[in-house]
């Protein structure tokens, strides 16, 4: 097993022959030609179709459920309710507050109440209409402040301890250094203290593929569940626990996933329902969510109400940061305990903070549960904080890029909350976007209506501690070499479109010298693959990459040893590359890699190895909560956004975003750029368009989603998307595979504040609430015009020279 | 989606008689409005009478003082037609901005006009240009055709065959689209033509397309953007949805009117 402390996996670039090249994805052709088989493409003999009855009320007691008429309908094979699966579950073991189907209470419009399996979807839908549920409606909370204020109840969940507020999931208060002294010092010494209130609107993931699952309980008592999940291992555990099965009798298969973005990173009702319905009927059962159900299942970005107080000295160096955050969690905890920590813990880089304090509260509300979305928990505070920095820069008349430079944390250091930072390419990121965007010619120099803005950020490459406490590796692979020279890799990781199967192939091809198309990656089946904890928190390349190196080098050492003996050379003189074993310094001495493998198999028996990786466990602070946010390595990002604001309509056209991202090393630059563009796109969508609006009681249907369809929920198409320019920075992390760090989530963060700061540069209004939609920008402009009748247009600076 | 009977007659007359016989029958052409409504369960017609096999309704002809557009012409066809681009460029521009490429390749002028969605683009063009809607049995002036949201002068069994647009001296179109659906949040056509100076607005009002008399009067004396820039409309009757509230919509009407005149 590779543990980072045991020595890095980084390697000089000249020694690499596969890693670093621009390559196709190994599954690219199958997906581009429509041959990939997703979960909904699977049809099993005798398969039934399931549907879930959902609550029409945001908050109600279930008094009685009568399923007899539904069960009697021709074509219906089984009906289940919450009482058939009474065990609670939750992705975080400390907050199990969900049932597969509600037992005695519904907590949001869309909460599952009963499920049917029938010969087809129409029959299943007809059966749902025959299920009779008697509800007693309860007061609904749609605003987190109202939920918190109701300290005496009624509560959305029973308090875990008597006397606590059952409407609160988690409160985190942490302080590092003396914040008040820092604020006072900033005030007294000619510096500045900036205060601001910010609102980050909730947004959802909108993957192309809706959630889908198939359950099959066979005659031997074994349960197989196929699911469009990004966490097959956690699903495996929870299925066994909730359905009271021996985990050894449960198999989870994860077919290719059509987009997830965090929205499929915990168990969902449909997975338990297809399993239970199959256990009852003995037939395979499939449930495919409608798009509306995808919106209600949600687990998307939490709405955050944030208040920041930031002090800086006269030279722009930060003195203190103080944050108070109220998070709107929706009906269930989901990852909320972690989200509450992340809301504060992940803000402490890329800038040095001498003093920092945050107080975050996650409240339950009667709306779809919020959870992790790309950039989990840290995108919202990053928006507020980077706008604060822009205000500080303006107040102190320091260029905002220069201000960020002066505060940069550096490499090989610790943050104020004791996160260990290894490699750090943030300064290079800043320099790259500054140059590429022609920042100095543009900032505060473009004509009224046009502007540029900058922002920076950091993100984790996985978490040092897994979701459930254990001492086993976080990631593992098994590798097996065939006599034809082909290498099979059994990988526990989840391919969700991000390219993890390709990454596995690149690493193995690099280490064993086989052609890329001779590496076969088998993944996503708990019966055949070792455990990887899942595709979340940007952990996979870092952890699985290291596990692949570990396994491949075990085989490589055997091959080198046996070939060295044949050549009367030293093992390290045997190079494996390009389908050959070659003697270093004597390239005339070589043999096909297949022959080298055959020699090794003859000497050692069947050729294969396992490899694993576990995170460093001794590199965090000693305070309670210090492990949350601790990562083996951090990525860094800087964006410059250029916008054109139509002051008459408030429409913001984001013309271009320059994205510089320190990913450690780009194992395949094409995929890194894809992640950077996809992230910046998603941030742009949240900044400009996305809005989760729920009806209030005054509007007749409290908690009803206003736009649970892609016709009404606003996300950008390719036509709406700005030009995106990706600039890769490689800081070569000492512990990452070949120096690699994450690239999938970090590059989202700065989009939003960079656009907000660009809008300010363009038209002089601060957008403190998302989205920066035309009506909001227009209202802000109206308010600004009312405040300062001599609008900035009167004093338009000189155009770009 | 509920079950329904599907018919594909070969002539307008056959379509009319099928509509007459059908229980709650509906005409379908491109299906860009009706099918989503059916899928969402908001409409459940008992019979669908497709015009797909009716020939002769998909031509665009120059009739001198008028351009005649067959009811089955798609938006893409209108946008690309040389006759339209030369003689009523505002109409081509409007058609080019409807929905997305898929909608423009399937959706028809007849369907858009008959559906009279309060945020559809065509009703504004018809009203501003003073178009005539021809059906299987009569001709209806646009002024008498659009009666309110999703409500027109058409009989239950009446089928549109063509729309005729008088060629204006000048006309301009400006739309602020909903970022998700591309329906008009506010769309304005300003025209100076045989029907006089007209300003027709779509997308903004809950009552559907409407004209703005004060803007028309101002433009009649001087057809300049500045003439309408200061004319505001009341927010009272404006639609309100996730994309825009009434006050903002009313503001957009003025801005779009100004830009429509600029385009003319």
């Amino acid at each position: 097993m590779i543990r980072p402390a045991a020595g890095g996996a980084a390697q000089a670039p000249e020694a690499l022959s596969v890693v670093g090249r621009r390559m196709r994805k190994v599954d690219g052709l199958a997906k581009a030609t429509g041959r990939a088989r997703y979960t909904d493409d699977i049809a099993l003999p005798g398969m039934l179709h399931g549907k879930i009855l959902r609550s029409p009320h945001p908050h109600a007691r279930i008094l009685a459920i009568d399923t007899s008429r539904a069960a009697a309908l021709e074509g219906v094979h089984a009906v289940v309710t919450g009482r058939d699966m009474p065990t609670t579950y939750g992705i975080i073991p400390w907050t199990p507050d969900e049932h597969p189907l509600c037992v005695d209470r519904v907590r949001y419009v869309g909460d599952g109440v009963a499920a049917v399996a029938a010969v087809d979807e129409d029959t299943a839908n007809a059966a749902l209409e025959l299920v009779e549920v008697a509800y007693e409606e309860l007061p609904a909370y749609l605003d987190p402040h109202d939920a918190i204020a109701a300290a005496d109840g009624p509560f959305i969940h029973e308090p875990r301890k008597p006397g606590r507020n059952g409407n609160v999931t988690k409160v985190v208060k942490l302080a590092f250094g003396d914040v008040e002294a820092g604020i006072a010092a900033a005030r007294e010494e000619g510096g500045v203290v900036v205060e601001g209130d910010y609102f980050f609107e909730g947004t959802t993931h909108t993957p192309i593929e809706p959630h889908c699952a198939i359950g099959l309980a066979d005659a031997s008592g074994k349960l197989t569940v196929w699911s469009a999940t990004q966490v097959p291992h956690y699903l495996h555990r929870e299925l066994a626990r909730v359905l009271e099965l021996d985990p050894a009798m449960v198999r989870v298969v994860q077919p290719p996933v059509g987009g997830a973005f965090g929205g499929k990173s915990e168990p969902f009702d449909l997975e338990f329902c297809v399993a239970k319905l199959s256990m009852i009927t003995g037939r395979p059962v499939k449930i495919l969510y409608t798009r509306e159900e995808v919106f209600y299942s949600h687990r998307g970005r939490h709405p955050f109400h944030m208040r920041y107080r930031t002090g800086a000295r006269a030279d722009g160096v930060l003195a203190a940061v103080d944050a108070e955050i109220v998070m709107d969690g929706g009906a269930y905890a989901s990852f909320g305990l972690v989200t509450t920590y992340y809301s504060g813990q992940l803000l402490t880089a890329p800038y040095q903070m001498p003093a920092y304090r945050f107080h975050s509260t996650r409240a339950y509300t009667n709306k779809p549960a919020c959870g992790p979305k790309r950039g989990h928990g840290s995108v919202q505070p990053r928006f507020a904080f980077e706008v604060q920095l822009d205000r500080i820069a303006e107040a102190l008349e320091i260029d905002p890029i220069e201000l960020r430079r002066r505060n940069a944390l550096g490499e090989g250091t610790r943050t104020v909350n004791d996160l260990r930072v290894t490699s750090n390419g943030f300064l290079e990121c800043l320099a790259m976007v500054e140059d590429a965007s022609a920042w100095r010619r543009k900032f505060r120099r473009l004509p009224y209506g046009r502007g540029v803005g900058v922002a920076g950020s950091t993100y984790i490459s996985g978490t040092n501690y897994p979701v459930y406490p254990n001492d086993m590796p976080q990631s593992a692979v098994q590798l097996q070499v065939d006599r034809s020279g082909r290498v099979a890799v059994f990988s526990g990781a989840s391919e969700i479109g991000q390219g993890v199967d390709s990454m596995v192939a690149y690493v193995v091809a690099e280490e064993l010298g086989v052609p890329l198309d001779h590496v076969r990656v088998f993944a996503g089946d708990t019966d055949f693959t070792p455990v990887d904890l899942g595709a979340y928190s940007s952990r996979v390349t870092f952890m699985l990459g290291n596990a692949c190196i570990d396994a491949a080098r075990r085989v490589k050492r055997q091959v080198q040893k046996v070939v060295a003996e044949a050549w009367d050379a030293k093992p390290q003189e045997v190079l494996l590359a390009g389908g050959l074993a070659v003697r270093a310094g004597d390239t005339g001495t070589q043999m096909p890699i297949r022959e080298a493998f055959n020699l090794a198999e003859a000497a050692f028996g069947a050729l294969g190895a396992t490899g694993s990786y576990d995170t460093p466990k001794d590199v965090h602070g000693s305070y309670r909560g210090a492990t949350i946010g601790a990562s083996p390595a951090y990525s860094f990002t800087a964006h410059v956004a250029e916008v054109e604001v139509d002051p008459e309509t408030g429409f913001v056209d984001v013309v271009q975003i320059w994205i510089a991202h320190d990913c450690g090393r780009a194992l395949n630059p094409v995929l890194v750029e894809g992640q950077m563009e996809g992230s910046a796109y998603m941030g742009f969508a949240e900044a400009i368009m996305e809005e989760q609006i729920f009806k209030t009681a005054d509007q007749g249907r409290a908690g009803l989603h206003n736009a649970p369809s892609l016709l009404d929920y606003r996300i950008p198409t390719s036509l709406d998307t700005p030009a995106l320019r990706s600039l890769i920075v490689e800081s070569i992390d000492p512990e990452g595979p070949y120096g690699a760090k994450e690239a999938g989530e970090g590059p989202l963060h700065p989009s939003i504040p960079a656009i907000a700061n660009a809008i300010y540069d363009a038209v002089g209004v601060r957008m403190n609430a998302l989205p920066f939609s035309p009506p909001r920008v227009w209202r802000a402009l109206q308010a600004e015009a009312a405040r300062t009748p001599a609008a900035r247009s009167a004093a338009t600076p000189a155009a770009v020279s | 989606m509920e079950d329904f009977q599907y018919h594909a007659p070969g002539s307008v007359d056959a379509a009319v008689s099928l509509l007459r016989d059908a229980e709650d029958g509906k005409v379908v052409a491109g299906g860009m409005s009706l099918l989503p409504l059916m899928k969402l369960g908001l409409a459940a017609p008992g019979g669908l009478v497709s015009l797909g096999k009716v020939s002769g309704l998909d031509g665009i002809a120059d009739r001198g003082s008028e351009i005649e557009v067959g009811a089955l012409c798609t938006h893409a066809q209108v946008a690309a037609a040389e006759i339209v681009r030369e003689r009523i460029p505002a109409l081509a521009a409007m058609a080019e901005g409807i929905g997305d490429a898929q909608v423009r390749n399937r959706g028809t002028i007849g369907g858009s006009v008959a559906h009279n969605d309060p945020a559809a683009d065509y009703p504004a063009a018809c009203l501003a240009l003073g178009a005539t809607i021809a059906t299987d049995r009569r001709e209806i002036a646009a002024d008498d055709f659009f009666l309110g949201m999703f409500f027109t002068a058409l009989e239950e069994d009446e089928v549109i065959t063509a729309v005729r647009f008088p060629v204006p001296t000048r006309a301009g179109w400006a739309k602020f689209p909903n970022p998700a659906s591309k329906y008009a949040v506010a769309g304005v056509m300003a025209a100076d033509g045989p029907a006089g100076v007209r300003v027709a607005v779509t997308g903004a009002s809950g009552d559907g397309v409407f004209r703005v008399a004060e803007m028309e009067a101002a433009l009649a004396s001087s057809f300049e953007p500045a003439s309408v820039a200061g004319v505001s409309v009341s927010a009272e009757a404006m639609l309100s949805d996730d994309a825009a509230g009434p006050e903002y919509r009313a503001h957009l009407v003025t801005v779009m009117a100004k830009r429509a005149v600029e385009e003319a």
Side-chain angles (χ1 to χ4, degrees):
Chain A
M1 175 160 65
I2 289 190
R3 281 186 190 274
Q11 213 167 327
E14 51 274 21
L16 299 172
S17 58
V18 177
V19 162
R21 280 174 37 210
R22 303 183 73 87
M23 294 169 280
R24 284 186 177 174
K25 283 184 178 177
V26 296
D27 54 355
L29 193 63
K31 285 182 173 169
T33 54
R35 288 182 173 84
R37 277 162 56 90
Y38 296 85
T39 306
D40 188 41
D41 293 323
I42 298 170
L44 300 174
M47 190 169 76
L48 301 173
H49 294 268
K51 285 284 172 190
I52 297 172
L53 181 69
R54 299 193 174 278
S55 165
H57 304 296
H59 198 190
R61 245 186 280 284
I62 299 173
L63 302 178
I65 305 180
D66 182 352
T67 61
S68 57
R69 288 176 63 217
L73 185 71
E74 192 181 337
V76 171
H77 284 247
V79 186
V80 291
T81 67
R83 293 190 190 282
D84 296 304
M85 295 177 277
T87 306
T88 55
Y89 69 93
I91 184 69
I92 303 295
W94 293 275
T95 55
D97 62 0
E98 297 189 59
H99 289 99
L101 294 167
C102 297
V103 175
D104 52 11
R105 184 106 70 103
V106 292
R107 294 181 171 88
Y108 69 97
V109 172
D111 222 351
V113 174
V116 302
V119 290
D120 55 35
E121 284 189 291
D122 285 346
T123 307
N125 276 326
L128 290 188
E129 290 183 19
L130 300 175
V131 176
E132 288 163 30
V133 187
Y135 293 102
E136 178 194 337
E137 288 189 58
L138 296 167
Y141 302 97
L142 298 182
D143 184 292
H145 301 95
D146 295 342
I148 294 167
D152 300 323
F155 296 133
I156 297 172
H157 291 275
E158 291 313 311
R160 284 197 299 282
K161 289 179 186 164
R164 286 214 187 154
N165 184 340
N167 289 341
V168 173
T169 320
K170 181 71 186 171
V171 178
V172 177
K173 286 186 190 180
L174 285 172
F176 310 94
D178 191 337
V179 167
E180 292 309 329
I183 295 281
R187 281 215 174 91
E188 284 157 19
E189 294 164 21
V192 63
V193 176
V194 167
E195 296 186 39
D197 290 302
Y198 300 87
F199 174 63
F200 197 108
E201 176 63 89
T203 64
T204 199
H205 317 81
T206 54
I208 294 172
E209 178 201 30
H211 304 56
C212 184
I214 302 167
L216 174 59
D218 68 23
S220 70
K222 181 176 161 188
L223 172 71
T224 303
V225 171
W226 289 259
S227 181
T229 180
Q230 50 190 123
V231 286
H233 174 64
Y234 296 140
L235 177 59
H236 184 190
R237 284 169 55 86
E238 295 303 286
L239 282 170
R241 213 171 57 76
V242 171
L243 300 172
E244 298 173 353
L245 298 171
D246 181 344
M249 296 302 280
V250 177
R251 174 187 179 194
V252 172
V253 183
Q254 181 232 308
V257 170
F261 311 107
K264 297 170 180 169
S265 54
E266 57 198 290
F268 287 88
D269 55 12
L270 81 169
E271 292 154 329
F272 299 105
C273 288
V274 294
K276 189 70 185 179
L277 289 166
S278 181
M279 288 161 70
I280 293 170
T281 61
R283 290 170 66 161
V285 179
K286 176 193 279 184
I287 295 181
L288 169 69
Y289 275 176
T290 62
R291 180 56 62 180
E292 196 170 349
E293 286 178 297
V294 176
F295 273 92
Y296 279 106
S297 297
H298 190 45
R299 318 284 157 154
R301 186 101 60 220
H302 289 66
F304 272 28
H305 301 264
M306 300 173 280
R307 180 167 189 76
Y308 275 85
R309 205 155 55 111
T310 314
R313 302 187 331 210
D315 59 1
V317 170
L318 289 172
V321 177
D322 193 11
E324 182 137 7
I325 298 174
V326 171
M327 305 158 58
D328 184 347
Y332 293 100
S334 179
F335 280 84
L337 185 149
V338 176
T339 322
T340 315
Y341 273 105
Y342 278 6
S343 71
Q345 286 289 73
L346 299 184
L347 195 70
T348 56
Y351 314 110
Q352 245 168 354
M353 293 181 185
Y356 175 48
R357 178 168 68 193
F358 70 94
H359 175 187
S360 295
T361 305
R362 183 187 193 266
Y364 288 115
T365 54
N366 293 110
K367 294 185 289 191
C370 298
K373 182 181 167 187
R374 203 174 196 173
H376 181 194
S378 77
V379 169
Q380 303 96 320
R382 183 57 62 185
F383 155 61
F385 186 70
E386 296 286 328
V387 172
Q388 290 275 106
L389 286 186
D390 209 59
R391 293 176 56 194
I392 288 171
E394 189 182 38
L396 296 174
E397 297 181 346
I398 300 171
D399 177 277
I401 290 183
E402 175 58 22
L403 181 95
R404 285 167 172 82
R405 207 174 268 136
R406 288 184 195 175
N407 284 287
L409 185 68
E411 61 181 8
T413 185
R414 296 261 177 169
T415 64
V416 69
N417 56 341
D418 241 342
L419 305 179
R420 182 197 64 155
V421 174
T422 51
S423 58
N424 181 344
F426 183 60
L427 285 175
E428 209 178 333
C429 291
L430 281 177
M432 284 181 99
V433 293
E434 184 177 38
D435 286 352
S437 67
W439 173 266
R440 289 177 198 193
R441 285 200 291 119
K442 291 177 179 168
F443 180 67
R444 298 289 190 265
R445 292 166 69 97
L446 293 171
Y448 181 77
R450 193 138 181 147
V452 288
V454 67
S457 69
T458 188
Y459 202 63
I460 52 177
S461 304
T463 61
N464 284 351
Y465 290 83
V467 163
Y468 69 95
N470 72 81
D471 294 324
M472 291 176 278
Q474 286 221 26
S475 192
V477 296
Q478 182 167 5
L479 193 147
Q480 175 191 308
V481 180
D482 171 280
R483 289 183 184 176
S484 68
R486 191 178 61 213
V487 182
V489 191
F490 298 89
S491 157
S494 297
E495 174 64 63
I496 56 170
Q498 84 280 46
V500 53
D501 287 353
S502 302
M503 188 278 294
V504 167
Y506 306 150
V507 171
V508 171
E510 177 67 52
E511 292 296 327
L512 294 181
V514 295
L516 200 50
D517 57 0
H518 288 185
V519 183
R520 306 290 155 76
V521 183
F522 299 89
D525 187 330
T526 61
D527 261 14
F528 295 103
T529 62
V531 167
D532 173 274
L533 293 181
Y536 63 94
S537 78
S538 275
R539 53 181 294 289
V540 179
T541 291
F542 199 98
M543 300 192 188
L544 186 78
N546 273 327
C548 286
I549 291 175
D550 183 31
R553 287 191 184 166
R554 286 170 200 269
V555 172
K556 185 177 185 174
R557 281 193 289 272
Q558 290 184 314
V559 175
Q560 284 175 313
K561 184 165 188 291
V562 73
V563 174
E565 280 167 14
W567 288 342
D568 197 17
K570 291 177 184 155
Q572 62 268 32
E573 289 175 328
V574 179
L575 308 179
L576 309 182
L580 297 169
V582 180
R583 185 165 182 173
D586 172 18
T587 51
T589 303
Q590 55 170 244
M591 70 173 78
I593 194 75
R594 179 191 304 157
E595 283 178 29
F597 288 161
N598 293 353
L599 284 179
E601 187 174 340
F604 301 110
L607 209 51
T610 59
S612 44
Y613 169 83
D614 200 13
T615 43
K617 296 289 196 278
D618 53 354
V619 295
H620 52 78
S622 53
Y623 59 94
R624 185 181 165 85
T627 57
I628 305 186
S631 172
Y634 296 85
S635 74
F636 296 91
T637 315
H639 287 191
V640 165
E642 183 164 348
V643 304
E644 174 128 31
V645 181
D646 179 346
E648 283 187 324
T649 64
F651 180 81
V652 177
D653 179 18
V654 180
V655 181
Q656 183 156 355
I657 303 175
W658 291 266
I659 312 147
H661 180 70
D662 166 23
C663 66
R665 184 193 296 282
L667 302 184
N668 176 355
V670 177
L671 297 192
V672 173
E673 287 162 2
Q675 289 296 327
M676 291 167 71
E677 290 175 9
S679 291
Y681 158 86
M682 208 168 220
F684 156 76
E686 298 185 46
I688 298 292
M689 286 193 182
E690 292 190 55
E691 209 167 0
Q692 294 251 93
I693 300 169
F694 295 89
K695 284 198 174 17
T696 61
D698 298 344
Q699 293 165 312
R701 286 291 306 277
L704 191 72
H705 197 301
N706 237 10
S709 78
L710 295 181
L711 182 62
D712 294 312
Y713 185 78
R714 303 189 296 274
I715 52 171
T717 67
S718 55
L719 293 177
D720 302 308
T721 304
L724 301 169
R725 173 93 190 279
S726 295
L727 306 158
I728 294 175
V729 171
E730 296 184 304
S731 62
I732 313 298
D733 188 77
E735 296 177 12
Y738 311 103
K741 303 187 287 189
E742 78 89 32
E745 304 187 68
L748 188 153
H749 294 68
S751 294
I752 299 157
I755 291 169
N757 293 338
I759 292 171
Y760 183 76
D761 189 42
V763 291
V765 297
R766 287 285 174 203
M767 296 306 299
N768 294 339
L770 264 63
F772 316 139
S773 59
R776 286 198 189 191
V777 175
W778 177 69
R779 274 198 299 274
L781 285 163
Q782 295 286 103
E784 179 64 19
R787 208 166 32 240
T788 54
R792 198 166 153 247
S793 55
T796 301
V800 181
S801 54
Chain B
M1 199 188 281
E2 300 293 319
D3 287 346
F4 56 86
Q5 291 281 317
Y6 179 79
H7 309 279
S11 70
V12 171
D13 286 348
V16 169
S17 79
L18 280 163
L19 280 171
R20 206 163 283 161
D21 297 341
E23 183 127 340
D24 192 19
K26 274 278 181 197
V27 178
V28 65
M32 292 295 93
S33 299
L34 184 56
L35 296 190
L37 289 176
M38 290 169 67
K39 281 179 76 175
L40 291 168
L42 298 173
L48 278 195
V49 180
S50 168
L51 298 183
K53 293 205 167 121
V54 178
S55 55
L57 297 184
D58 58 355
I60 299 176
D62 191 338
R63 305 268 184 237
S65 63
E66 288 185 325
I67 301 294
E68 183 177 287
V69 181
L72 290 183
C73 285
T74 64
H75 312 321
Q77 220 180 318
V78 174
E82 275 308 315
I83 305 169
V84 181
R85 295 172 76 92
E86 268 171 36
R87 304 210 58 204
I88 320 181
L91 186 62
M94 184 227 74
E96 202 162 15
I98 296 175
D100 50 37
Q102 292 91 329
V103 167
R104 291 193 291 273
N105 282 326
R106 289 287 306 163
T108 65
I109 184 172
S112 173
V113 168
H115 188 53
N116 193 19
D117 189 300
D121 298 350
Y122 264 120
C126 291
L127 202 54
L129 295 168
T132 302
I133 289 92
T135 75
D136 61 279
R137 67 201 64 169
R138 59 182 169 150
E139 307 214 321
I140 311 168
D143 292 343
D144 305 322
F145 184 85
F146 301 104
L147 302 181
M149 183 190 274
F150 301 117
F151 184 39
T152 68
L154 288 174
E155 307 281 341
E156 294 278 315
D157 57 355
E158 194 167 7
V159 175
I160 297 175
T161 53
V163 181
R164 294 204 305 272
F165 294 95
V167 177
T169 314
R170 53 194 159 175
W173 166 248
K175 171 169 94 163
F176 193 85
N178 179 307
S181 64
K182 308 299 177 195
Y183 270 115
V185 175
V188 178
M189 187 164 284
D192 176 4
V197 172
R198 289 184 167 207
V199 175
V201 181
T202 190
S205 164
D207 296 330
V209 63
F210 67 97
R211 287 168 58 187
V212 186
E214 200 182 335
M215 287 183 179
E216 291 178 353
L219 289 175
S221 54
S222 170
F223 201 91
E224 294 296 330
S227 303
V228 292
V231 181
S232 57
V233 299
S234 163
E236 241 167 66
M238 293 288 121
L239 278 169
S240 180
D241 58 23
D242 291 352
E247 193 199 348
Y248 177 66
R249 261 200 167 81
H251 166 74
L252 280 184
V253 170
T254 301
V255 176
M256 291 302 122
K258 190 184 77 170
R259 291 183 183 180
V261 176
E262 279 167 9
E263 291 294 320

